[in-house]
Amino acid sequence: HAGHDDLYAVADCGWGIVIARNVQEAADLAAIARRVAEDAQTPFIVAQDGFLTTHTLENARLPEDDLLRDFVGSPRERIRDLFDPAEALMSGVVQNQDSYMKGRIAQRAFTDPILGDLAAAMAEWGELTGRRLAPIDPYRCDDAERIVVAMGTIADSLPTVVDHLRARGERVGCLAVTAFRPFPAEIGRAHV
């Protein structure tokens, strides 16, 4: 029922996590996350709130097959063969404390570029479809005294609430978080 406890349980697994505000974003983020996951060689979760996006009726414009093929590209050109003996690698091994942090730090080679790749893929998707997405989406935050930060379907409703409260003279804003992992801290400072 629109809880995010399942996401918090896997928040630090090393995967990218994006959260849709509505069914249209869930469809759009599926294509975007697929492309970024293949480029970064890092799995992604595309999350949507249970019930509000899964059990209610909403319209969505699904992309044409040709657009998806062009945007995502051929997986054969991007996905590494993890079982190629010529490029041996270990995965899923148990690590003791002395090497655990070294492994986590080594993941940065994969995770550091993800946010930039995600923002670029979202921008390109917006150019192709006319539907703008961003890792975070501030609304009327420039002069706000109070800002609500939210993810998922509540973030879809908040701009209406902000407009209502602004009409009553309250300086409020909202910030929708689409990229939960990696969290867009630097992008956030540039936009808020």
Side-chain angles (χ1 to χ4, degrees):
H1 299 297
H4 295 163
D5 48 332
D6 50 352
L7 287 178
Y8 302 139
V10 296
D12 294 326
C13 71
W15 290 28
I17 302 173
V18 289
I19 303 172
R21 290 180 265 192
N22 53 52
V23 70
Q24 183 66 61
E25 279 193 7
D28 292 345
L29 287 170
I32 292 166
R34 167 79 183 260
R35 176 170 149 176
V36 175
E38 289 177 2
D39 285 345
Q41 299 181 51
T42 301
F44 257 76
I45 295 169
V46 177
Q48 59 184 348
D49 291 347
F51 191 74
L52 292 175
T53 52
T54 60
H55 290 69
T56 57
L57 293 176
E58 277 188 69
N59 292 327
R61 291 184 172 180
L62 299 179
E64 299 85 10
D65 290 346
D66 290 339
L67 185 140
L68 280 175
R69 273 191 216 83
D70 291 343
F71 181 77
V72 174
S74 172
R76 288 184 180 91
E77 296 171 8
R78 295 146 87 123
I79 297 179
R80 181 177 175 189
D81 181 359
L82 298 177
F83 298 102
D84 182 354
E87 290 188 60
L89 96 118
M90 274 193 296
S91 114
V93 297
V94 175
Q95 296 173 319
N96 288 325
Q97 294 82 357
D98 60 328
S99 58
Y100 175 78
M101 284 310 296
K102 293 175 193 169
R104 294 299 284 190
I105 290 167
Q107 285 179 336
R108 291 181 183 162
F110 292 92
T111 58
D112 283 353
I114 290 175
L115 194 55
D117 294 346
L118 182 62
M122 288 175 161
E124 183 180 339
W125 186 258
E127 290 173 22
L128 293 170
T129 65
R131 295 187 295 272
R132 189 183 69 83
L133 290 161
I136 61 166
D137 186 14
Y139 182 73
R140 300 185 81 171
C141 291
D142 291 338
D143 67 339
E145 294 174 342
R146 290 172 287 153
I147 297 172
V148 176
V149 179
M151 302 187 295
T153 54
I154 191 170
D156 203 30
S157 303
L158 279 173
T160 303
V161 174
V162 166
D163 289 342
H164 174 76
L165 293 173
R166 286 275 180 158
R168 292 177 31 187
E170 298 186 44
R171 289 183 18 208
V172 298
C174 63
L175 183 74
V177 176
T178 303
F180 180 53
R181 290 290 187 264
F183 190 79
E186 294 303 317
I187 288 176
R189 288 188 196 103
H191 286 90
V192 176

